[in-house]
Amino acid sequence: MNPPVRDDAAPVTLDRREGPYGEVVLRRRGEQLEIIANGCFLMDTADGRSERLLVQAALDRIAAPRPSVLIGGLGVGFSLAYAVAEPRWGAVAVAEREAAVIDWHRSGPLGAFSAGALDDPRVTVLHTDLVVHLAGGGEAYDALCLDIDNGPDWTVDEANDGLYGPAGLAAARGRLNPGGILAVWSARPSAAFEQALREAGFAEVETLEVTVARGVPDVVHLARRA
């Protein structure tokens, strides 16, 4: 979820939906698509490097030959498409709470960016709130690749705050297989979140940075379940 790279084109609204979490809007600005939630910019299709790194960095740290991954959320589809393009992933689940976003991939303009990934036989689409899903217990994964907000220090939805605190990290840890990897996208580095990961019992905590055109780098926070 990157701050938008603005151009001179005025945004054009392609679809607007009201749902249980408020308003979600799909806009076109020049050649890029944007998702806006309750008036707040979430993400666009300008640059998917850090979203791809989210998935690749997790896979690089897993020894299992056919690991499973839960991606949260679907967004503009960069992370899911990248995961599906890697045959090593044995099972890919993606959690997305906004029905509109799923629709925009299945039958709308975002389908060009997920590139048919939702139809891959390894993929399970979960129409659910990620925070609730993790806390509910159930299947464990080899990797959790989470990108549902602008990061632990910059949430745009108060409901997502709990993901980054002790209870949310405990829930995430409980949904990982031993040795599994937690990868969390953020629009800026967070030393406090690194410490929170350690306090939650994670090991091998590290942060990878991706330089952006303006401002602080995007980052991927990584940690292993001991």
Side-chain angles (χ1 to χ4, degrees):
M1 297 183 181
N2 305 299
V5 177
R6 297 299 186 191
D7 58 28
D8 294 332
V12 176
T13 297
L14 303 180
D15 195 10
R16 184 187 306 271
R17 307 272 188 97
E18 285 289 341
Y21 305 99
E23 181 187 70
V24 60
V25 178
L26 181 66
R27 302 194 310 198
R28 185 181 299 279
R29 183 186 295 272
E31 297 182 354
Q32 308 302 330
L33 299 179
E34 304 174 338
I35 297 177
I36 312 296
N38 294 318
C40 182
F41 175 89
L42 287 183
M43 65 196 75
D44 65 17
T45 57
D47 182 0
R49 289 175 300 149
S50 56
E51 289 89 344
R52 298 181 184 104
L53 178 64
L54 180 77
V55 175
Q56 187 63 54
L59 183 61
D60 288 345
R61 287 157 177 77
I62 297 173
R66 297 284 288 168
S68 60
V69 59
L70 171 63
I71 298 172
L74 177 55
V76 297
F78 286 139
S79 294
L80 177 64
Y82 193 75
V84 167
E86 171 53 67
R88 192 180 146 202
W89 289 113
V92 181
V94 58
E96 174 56 57
R97 74 180 192 176
E98 297 288 354
V101 172
I102 298 173
D103 288 347
W104 294 335
H105 281 277
R106 290 204 182 279
S107 59
L110 287 180
F113 297 92
S114 50
L118 276 68
D119 297 322
D120 188 282
R122 293 170 295 165
V123 171
T124 301
V125 179
L126 306 172
H127 179 203
T128 185
D129 185 294
L130 175 70
V131 178
V132 175
H133 178 67
L134 291 177
E139 179 182 357
Y141 304 89
D142 295 303
L144 301 177
C145 296
L146 310 184
D147 177 12
I148 63 168
D149 216 307
N150 282 324
D153 296 337
W154 187 13
T155 57
V156 297
D157 187 332
E158 291 182 1
N160 293 338
D161 290 350
L163 177 65
Y164 307 106
L169 292 179
R173 188 173 183 275
R175 299 299 292 273
L176 281 168
N177 290 321
I181 298 297
L182 173 65
V184 179
W185 191 95
S186 178
R188 59 191 180 198
S190 175
F193 185 61
E194 292 179 352
Q195 183 59 31
L197 288 166
R198 296 185 181 96
E199 292 175 355
F202 286 94
E204 301 177 30
V205 176
E206 58 182 314
T207 299
L208 306 181
E209 297 187 354
V210 176
T211 302
V212 297
R214 291 178 292 183
V216 297
D218 295 339
V219 304
V220 174
H221 293 288
L222 294 157
R224 184 183 300 276
R225 177 182 173 178

